[in-house]
């Protein structure tokens, strides 16, 4: 297998380069692309930098761009990839080193939707929530914040400081649709903005790449539905400034 | 030489998993200057991978449950090596702690009454062992750890907790009197070194399963807090007690939750026999994990394993039907498809006992204060706390019950936070630290940066993992373990000259892995010392040469030190609100 990897070390590189590694996959312990990266780091080049933790697709550390498509290295079987593979850091994000990107802006947008339950009631035991009410959170709460979606979204590339992005909006929907939350109106009001919510153009890159099979695009549609239902209206722009 | 910068805090918490985030939440709302130091972004911590649930005697299914019954099960599950004062504290506070998580927004699954969904799990009974298969495990589908960790992180966003994300703590810093005054840490992005000067330090660094070749643990489970404690001259406790989970996917190590058996799944051997019915007629497939893992290992050893090499057993869930599986076990269904290449709706999943959890760790009292033992007496180490998997309170003793680990981390993370708040409220003072202490705590960083010729860290890491897998697995003997200990001493020696080839500063992950390896070796060494010393079989520690539990000689914790000393420490048998649970044979 020929693995070509984007390399950049700010300590001494003026500009990034690509380095090719010839890997005998029969020597790799495991079946995933992450195992190939681990093999390269342990046996060929310990200076290759990438993030990883759980190795099972639940921690969201190892989102990278694999032959042009964002995914998690730890749940991508290398046998399903072509003989020549090119790995790049997640697109549209500042690069710290090699495959490691700076996710500060991504996290800032996540924080901006107040991703925590807001209630004023304090029941003696648990809040009562029916199975049907709880079902509405399925497909929303499972997000692992790997950033594969937001870093594949052109609207996020252009306006990372103003557009919440698919991951942040998925988190917003998770709380807007939680029967226990009592701040639905203020949440909707906060998103009722040309950029924060309405920069989404429904091109579906987010849903195509989500390694957990979630559908941020559908979550954004649900927020729009709730927006209409709550009768808050979006101000139509006179001019769009891109 | 890297210039040492300094930051000052009232408290720092090393580790951003469930224990760390629960402790920080308690403190950040109190107005103290607190920071969480985490080598990964907090939601990447390994709490996220916990699947099955969290135990609490809520009684949502049976209508009646009692924390005392939970305590009985936990004590028996621990094979009586758990401390009864600590177990009592945990089980008694379990219902409140879980309800608190629900109120924070944790998306628990629900039953038809709209209450928290509870499932059956291993080793759980009602009425002190008289009624089997109780539903005590609160679950968010089979992603309970993910739901919990994200909820705790979200609450910390709300509480405006300060995070030092992707900072790696290298070593503790002690004053001359022995008070812990913070840590030396590296900011990974820049490679800059800092003295994080804190009145109180909490270690919440999680497990260390990566010392084994095959494990359900994350790459990051390298025992960092344990290494720091050992190097500071403090003891580790019960390190021979490693849980092998019965259902790791064969050849991959990925976990399949005990919830699969809690929902009605069962194990079979090559003859299609449900073998657990033979070994444990009452608990059956929901016997304690140490028991089930041993039974699977025996089946495989006696030639009744499955597959071309007869080296695994099968976990069957397809009879549960698509609706239950996709509702209750969607995560493990994905994992089985991705990692084992089988569709559990139609076929059984190949599984083997796989290293999963460290019952031992840094000894603490139930307030999460770290304990040293001086002249046979417990002494609190000033300024130092530990909670979660890195700690040995000890609630798990020689074998942890499934779904007691998520409970452990939130109960004792909270306990640490509360106790520290009390300490700071009373004006806890910092002591001064001299340059010599700082230099000592930076020395291993310097060693890795200076070493230019010697074996590579990755080569030594692989040797360590293979050795532990071979000599300290499910069944143990003196001969194998002695050979293992000799090998570990050799590796430890070679580590002094080991090298990384990357000496750059920015996000140097080779350096971080090398620093982690220092900790892994200390954990492995402690494991070997304890395992060789304990000449009995108790819980997860199964010796072929000493097949029985021997309360007369070995009903005691074992503490070990980095210089090879081993000593016994009494097991607490004094709960406050109920009669002690007396030593007896475990039920089958």
């Amino acid at each position: 297998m020929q693995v070509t990897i984007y390399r950049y070390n700010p300590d001494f590189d003026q500009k990034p380069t690509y380095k090719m590694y010839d890997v005998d996959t029969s020597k790799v312990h495991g079946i995933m692309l992450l195992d190939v990266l681990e093999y390269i780091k342990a046996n060929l080049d310990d200076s290759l930098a990438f993030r990883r933790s759980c190795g099972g697709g639940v921690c969201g550390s190892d989102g990278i761009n694999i032959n042009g498509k964002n995914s998690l290295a730890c749940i991508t079987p290398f046998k399903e990839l072509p003989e020549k593979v090119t790995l790049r850091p997640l697109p549209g994000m500042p690069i710290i080193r090699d495959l490691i990107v700076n996710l500060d802006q991504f996290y800032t947008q996540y924080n901006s939707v107040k991703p925590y339950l807001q209630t004023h009631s304090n029941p003696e035991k648990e809040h009562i929530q029916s199975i049907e009410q709880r079902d509405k959170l399925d497909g929303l709460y499972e997000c692992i914040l790997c950033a594969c979606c937001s870093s594949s979204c052109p609207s996020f590339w252009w306006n990372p400081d103003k557009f919440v992005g698919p991951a942040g909006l998925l988190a917003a929907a998770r709380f807007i649709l939680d029967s226990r939350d009592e701040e639905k109106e203020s949440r909707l009001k906060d998103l009722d903005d040309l950029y924060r919510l309405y920069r989404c153009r429904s091109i579906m890159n987010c849903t195509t790449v989500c390694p957990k099979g979630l559908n941020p695009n559908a979550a954004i549609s649900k927020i729009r539905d709730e927006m209409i239902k709550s009768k808050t209206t979006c101000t139509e722009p006179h001019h769009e400034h891109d | 030489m890297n210039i040492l910068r300094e930051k000052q805090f009232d408290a720092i918490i090393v580790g951003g998993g469930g224990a760390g985030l629960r402790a920080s939440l308690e403190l950040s709302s109190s107005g103290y200057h607190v920071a969480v130091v985490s080598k990964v972004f907090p939601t990447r911590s390994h709490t996220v991978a916990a699947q099955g649930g969290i135990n609490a005697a809520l009684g949502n299914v049976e209508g009646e449950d009692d924390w005392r019954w939970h305590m009985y099960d936990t004590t028996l599950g621990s094979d009586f090596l758990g401390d009864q004062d600590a177990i009592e504290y945990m089980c008694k506070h379990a219902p409140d702690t879980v309800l608190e998580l629900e109120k924070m927004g944790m998306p628990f699954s629900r039953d038809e009454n709209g209450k928290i969904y509870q499932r059956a799990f291993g080793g759980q009974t009602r009425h002190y062992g008289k009624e089997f298969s109780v539903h005590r495990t609160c679950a968010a589908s089979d992603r309970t750890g993910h739901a919990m960790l994200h909820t705790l992180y979200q609450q910390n966003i709300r509480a405006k907790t300060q995070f030092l994300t992707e900072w790696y703590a290298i070593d503790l810093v002690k004053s001359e009197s022995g008070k812990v005054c913070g840590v030396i840490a590296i900011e990974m992005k820049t490679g800059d070194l800092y003295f994080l000067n804190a009145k109180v330090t909490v270690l919440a660094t999680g497990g260390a399963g990566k010392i084994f070749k095959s494990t359900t643990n994350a790459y990051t489970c390298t025992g960092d807090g344990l290494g720091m404690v050992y190097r500071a001259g403090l003891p580790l406790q019960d390190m021979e007690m490693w849980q092998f989970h019965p259902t790791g996917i064969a050849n991959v190590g990925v976990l399949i939750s005990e919830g699969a058996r809690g929902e009605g799944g069962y194990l079979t051997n090559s003859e299609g026999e449900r073998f657990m019915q033979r070994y444990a007629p009452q608990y059956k497939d929901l016997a304690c994990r140490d028991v089930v893992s041993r039974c699977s290992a025996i089946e495989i050893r006696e030639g009744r394993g499955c597959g071309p090499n007869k080296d695994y057993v099968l976990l069957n869930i397809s009879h549960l039907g698509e609706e239950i599986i996709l509702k209750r076990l969607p995560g493990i269904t994905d994992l089985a498809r991705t990692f084992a290449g089988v569709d559990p709706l139609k076929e059984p999943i190949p599984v083997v006992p796989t290293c999963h959890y460290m019952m031992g760790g840094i000894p603490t009292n139930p307030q999460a204060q770290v304990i040293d033992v001086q002249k046979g007496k417990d002494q609190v180490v000033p300024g130092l706390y530990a909670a979660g998997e890195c700690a040995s309170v000890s609630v798990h003793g020689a074998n942890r019950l499934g779904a007691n680990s998520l409970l452990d981390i939130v109960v004792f993370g909270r306990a640490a936070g509360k106790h520290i708040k009390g300490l700071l409220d009373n004006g806890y003072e910092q002591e001064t630290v001299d340059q010599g202490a700082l230099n000592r705590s930076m020395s291993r960083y310097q060693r890795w940066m200076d070493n230019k010729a010697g074996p590579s860290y990755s080569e030594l890491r692989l040797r360590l993992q293979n050795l532990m897998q071979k000599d300290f697995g499910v069944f143990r003997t003196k001969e194998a373990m002695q050979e293992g200990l000799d090998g570990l001493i050799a590796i430890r020696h070679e580590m002094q000259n080991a090298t990384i080839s990357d000496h750059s500063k920015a996000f140097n992950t080779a350096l971080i892995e090398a620093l982690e390896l220092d900790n892994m070796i200390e954990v492995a060494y402690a494991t070997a010392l304890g395992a060789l010393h304990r000449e009995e079989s108790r819980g997860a520690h199964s010796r072929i040469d000493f097949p029985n539990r021997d309360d007369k000689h070995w009903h005691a914790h074992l503490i070990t030190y980095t210089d090879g000393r081993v000593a016994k420490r009494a097991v607490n048998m004094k709960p406050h609100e109920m009669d002690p649970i007396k030593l007896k044979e475990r039920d089958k």
Side-chain angles (χ1 to χ4, degrees):
Chain A
M1 188 173 185
Q2 284 186 5
V3 190
T4 303
I5 304 179
Y6 178 102
R7 300 300 308 272
Y8 172 71
N9 185 328
D11 279 12
F12 40 74
D13 289 332
Q14 295 300 312
K15 56 182 185 182
T17 54
Y18 284 89
K19 188 166 176 185
M20 202 272 278
Y21 299 91
D22 235 323
V23 177
D24 174 358
T25 52
S26 70
K27 290 184 178 161
V28 173
H29 178 76
I31 58 171
M32 298 299 172
L33 180 60
L34 178 60
D35 301 314
V36 174
L37 287 173
E38 284 290 319
Y39 175 84
I40 292 171
K41 188 161 181 71
N43 298 284
L44 306 177
D45 184 352
D46 76 10
S47 73
L48 175 65
F50 52 93
R51 292 187 176 108
R52 85 281 184 267
S53 184
C54 79
V58 278
C59 78
S61 297
D62 62 348
I64 51 172
N65 185 273
I66 305 162
N67 281 349
K69 189 181 169 186
N70 295 349
S71 196
L72 301 176
C74 63
I75 52 171
T76 301
F78 63 74
K79 286 207 169 125
E80 291 174 15
L81 295 170
E83 172 61 20
K84 289 186 179 175
V85 175
T86 303
L87 305 179
R88 299 181 181 87
L90 290 176
M93 307 278 186
I95 290 156
I96 297 173
R97 175 175 171 173
D98 298 346
L99 298 175
I100 296 175
V101 293
N102 184 329
L103 290 168
D104 288 352
Q105 192 60 252
F106 172 78
Y107 296 135
T108 300
Q109 288 296 357
Y110 174 75
N111 292 359
S112 79
V113 304
K114 298 188 176 171
Y116 39 81
L117 192 72
Q118 299 181 80
T119 62
H120 310 291
S121 59
N122 187 18
E124 192 192 339
K125 291 194 168 175
E126 66 263 62
H127 295 95
I128 299 298
Q129 184 174 49
S130 71
I131 291 172
E132 294 71 32
Q133 288 172 327
R134 171 59 183 77
D135 280 350
K136 290 192 175 156
L137 307 187
D138 284 343
L140 302 174
Y141 83 96
E142 303 94 323
C143 172
I144 58 174
L145 298 177
C146 65
C148 283
C149 59
S150 294
S151 65
S152 70
C153 173
S155 292
F156 194 78
W157 295 341
W158 282 111
N159 293 295
D161 53 336
K162 295 185 207 150
F163 174 49
V164 172
L169 290 170
L170 189 85
R174 178 247 172 276
F175 288 98
I176 288 169
L177 295 170
D178 192 324
S179 61
R180 300 171 293 175
D181 195 86
E182 294 170 33
E183 285 296 330
K184 185 172 170 179
E185 289 305 316
S186 67
R187 290 180 187 280
L188 290 172
K189 201 174 164 197
D190 167 66
L191 292 174
D192 189 10
D193 175 274
L194 287 176
Y195 284 93
R196 283 180 68 68
L197 174 67
Y198 293 109
R199 264 295 99 167
C200 170
R201 297 292 192 242
S202 298
I203 64 162
M204 305 277 283
N205 275 10
C206 53
T207 303
T208 307
V209 299
C210 177
K212 301 306 287 180
L214 307 180
N215 189 339
N217 191 70
I220 293 167
S221 298
K222 281 179 190 163
I223 297 176
R224 288 176 165 173
D225 289 349
E226 293 296 324
M227 204 72 98
I228 292 164
K229 273 195 244 167
S230 81
K231 294 179 186 152
T232 42
T233 48
C234 167
T235 323
E236 278 302 316
H238 298 293
H239 304 284
E240 278 199 20
H241 302 285
D242 272 11
Chain B
M1 177 96 188
N2 203 320
I3 300 160
L4 187 65
R5 296 159 172 82
E6 184 171 336
K7 281 176 183 275
Q8 294 196 353
F9 299 96
D10 292 315
I12 54 166
I13 293 150
V14 185
L21 294 189
R22 187 62 191 81
S24 65
L25 189 57
E26 202 66 35
L27 285 167
S28 56
S29 47
S30 63
Y32 288 109
H33 190 36
V34 179
V36 175
V37 184
S38 178
K39 64 179 175 177
V40 293
F41 179 75
T43 64
R44 327 266 183 233
S45 307
H46 203 47
T47 301
V48 81
Q51 298 170 353
I54 172 168
N55 291 327
L58 296 175
N60 287 352
V61 177
E62 281 85 8
E64 188 196 4
D65 200 356
D66 192 318
W67 66 263
R68 292 167 192 86
W69 303 340
H70 181 192
M71 171 166 176
Y72 172 87
D73 295 334
T74 302
T75 306
L76 258 75
S78 82
D79 220 350
F80 289 93
L81 197 63
D83 290 307
Q84 296 197 15
D85 58 343
I87 296 173
E88 177 184 52
Y89 183 89
M90 179 178 81
C91 296
K92 196 180 155 201
H93 287 95
D96 285 353
T97 311
V98 166
L99 293 174
E100 195 176 71
L101 287 167
E102 193 282 329
K103 288 177 191 178
M104 289 178 194
M106 185 165 159
F108 282 107
S109 300
R110 299 288 166 157
D111 63 21
E112 55 278 13
N113 298 317
K115 293 181 173 178
I116 294 170
Y117 171 75
Q118 294 190 287
R119 59 161 57 110
F121 240 61
Q124 302 283 354
T125 71
R126 300 207 309 149
H127 301 286
Y128 307 104
K130 291 193 182 65
E131 210 179 287
F132 288 78
S133 191
V134 52
H135 297 73
R136 186 175 288 147
T137 303
C138 309
S141 189
D142 59 354
R143 301 186 180 99
T144 315
H146 172 283
M148 176 193 282
L149 188 64
H150 280 253
T151 301
L152 287 171
Y153 179 64
Q154 291 161 350
Q155 286 298 319
N156 275 280
I157 294 173
R158 176 185 209 160
K160 300 190 168 54
T161 302
Q162 183 180 350
F163 286 98
L164 299 177
T165 295
E166 293 179 331
W167 284 55
Y168 183 76
I170 297 173
D171 261 315
L172 298 172
V173 175
K174 287 204 293 187
S175 71
E176 207 170 326
S177 76
K179 181 189 181 299
V180 173
C181 298
V183 298
I184 297 292
I186 182 167
E187 181 187 30
M188 289 160 66
K189 185 176 158 186
T190 59
D192 291 338
L193 285 183
Y194 283 80
F195 169 33
L196 303 180
N197 181 336
K199 293 177 189 169
V200 180
T201 302
V202 184
L203 296 174
T205 57
K210 271 290 156 186
I211 66 168
F212 288 89
K213 178 84 176 140
S214 176
T215 173
T216 64
N217 285 191
Y219 284 98
T220 42
C221 296
T222 52
D224 296 333
L226 284 79
M228 287 187 242
V229 157
Y230 234 25
R231 280 187 299 273
L234 299 168
L236 295 175
Q237 175 171 278
D238 297 339
M239 289 301 296
E240 64 278 21
M241 300 302 178
W242 283 88
Q243 179 165 82
F244 292 83
H245 195 292
T247 56
I249 295 176
N251 302 317
V252 211
V254 173
L255 174 69
I256 299 291
S257 170
E258 189 169 294
R261 281 170 289 135
E263 296 289 343
Y266 55 83
L267 296 167
T268 51
N269 59 20
S270 63
E271 294 164 8
E273 184 203 6
R274 291 180 62 171
F275 58 86
M276 281 313 300
Q277 294 183 338
R278 169 159 43 90
Y279 291 101
Q282 296 188 97
Y283 284 107
K284 303 189 181 79
D285 287 273
L286 288 178
C288 284
R289 287 180 182 169
D290 59 334
V291 176
V292 181
S293 279
R294 260 192 300 279
C295 297
S296 291
I298 292 169
E299 291 300 303
I300 291 166
R301 202 172 61 183
E302 294 183 350
R304 292 186 294 279
C306 305
N309 302 321
K310 293 182 160 296
D311 55 357
Y312 56 79
V313 294
L314 295 172
L315 173 64
N316 306 264
I317 61 167
S318 61
H319 61 284
L320 300 175
E322 189 169 330
E323 198 187 329
I324 296 249
I325 293 175
L326 295 184
K327 182 103 190 152
R328 306 272 185 236
L329 305 165
I332 62 130
T333 303
D334 270 355
L335 289 172
R337 285 172 178 156
T338 308
F339 285 93
V342 303
D343 183 356
L345 294 174
K346 301 189 185 105
E347 318 153 79
I349 308 165
V351 292
V352 287
T354 305
C355 170
H356 181 57
Y357 187 84
M358 174 180 77
M359 270 78 70
I362 304 160
T364 71
N365 62 22
Q367 291 78 46
Q369 294 176 289
V370 172
I371 297 293
D372 190 8
V373 179
Q374 306 269 1
K375 294 177 185 157
K377 282 197 173 153
D378 285 3
Q379 301 281 348
V380 167
V381 178
L384 188 62
Y385 289 70
E389 189 169 345
C390 73
S392 173
V393 186
S394 157
V395 286
H396 310 305
N399 173 64
R400 172 174 71 76
L401 292 191
N404 265 356
S405 60
L406 286 185
L407 180 60
D408 169 11
I409 63 180
V410 280
V411 165
F412 292 104
R414 183 174 71 165
K418 284 185 190 299
H419 200 266
I420 292 163
K421 184 175 178 304
L423 202 68
L424 294 171
D425 285 347
N426 286 313
Y428 194 60
E429 288 302 321
Q430 180 65 315
E431 294 185 5
T432 52
V433 172
D434 60 37
Q435 189 61 39
L438 294 173
N439 290 345
R440 274 194 297 284
S441 298
M442 281 188 288
S443 62
R444 66 190 191 100
Y445 168 87
Q446 210 52 50
R447 187 187 95 234
W448 284 110
M449 284 312 220
D450 292 347
N451 279 1
K452 295 291 183 320
S456 78
Y457 77 94
S458 54
E459 174 197 327
L460 291 179
R461 184 174 60 194
L462 185 62
R463 262 173 61 196
L464 169 81
Q465 291 167 330
N466 283 329
L467 180 154
M468 292 305 290
Q469 193 74 25
K470 183 163 88 50
D471 297 330
F472 296 92
V474 175
F475 289 108
R476 298 166 172 181
T477 64
K478 183 172 186 178
E479 291 68 37
M481 290 194 292
Q482 188 60 56
E483 197 183 305
L485 179 61
D486 295 344
L488 283 175
I489 290 168
I491 294 172
R492 232 177 159 207
H493 186 69
E494 287 177 60
M495 279 292 280
Q496 292 311 310
N497 301 312
T499 57
I500 46 177
S501 49
D502 180 4
H503 294 93
S504 62
K505 279 188 78 184
F507 226 116
N508 185 338
T509 52
L511 170 65
I512 300 299
E513 288 182 25
L515 291 166
E516 288 173 335
L517 182 60
D518 282 332
N519 296 324
M520 290 163 68
I521 289 194
E522 294 306 299
V523 171
Y525 178 67
T527 300
L529 285 179
L532 255 173
H533 201 79
R534 188 180 285 281
E535 295 188 330
E536 64 160 351
S537 289
R538 182 186 296 274
H541 179 61
S542 296
R543 289 190 58 158
I544 292 172
D545 43 357
F546 296 95
N548 300 315
R549 198 175 89 191
D550 176 2
D551 288 333
K552 192 173 164 213
H553 297 100
W554 297 105
H555 182 238
H557 298 298
L558 282 185
I559 55 168
T560 64
Y561 293 84
T562 186
D563 59 8
R565 276 178 295 148
V566 183
K568 287 181 187 173
R569 177 172 174 248
V571 175
N572 182 290
M573 298 289 277
K574 290 179 186 159
H576 302 286
E577 295 183 28
M578 62 185 281
D579 292 334
I581 297 161
K582 290 190 186 121
L583 286 164
K584 65 171 205 164
E585 284 290 310
R586 287 159 86 191
D587 307 317
K588 285 181 180 165

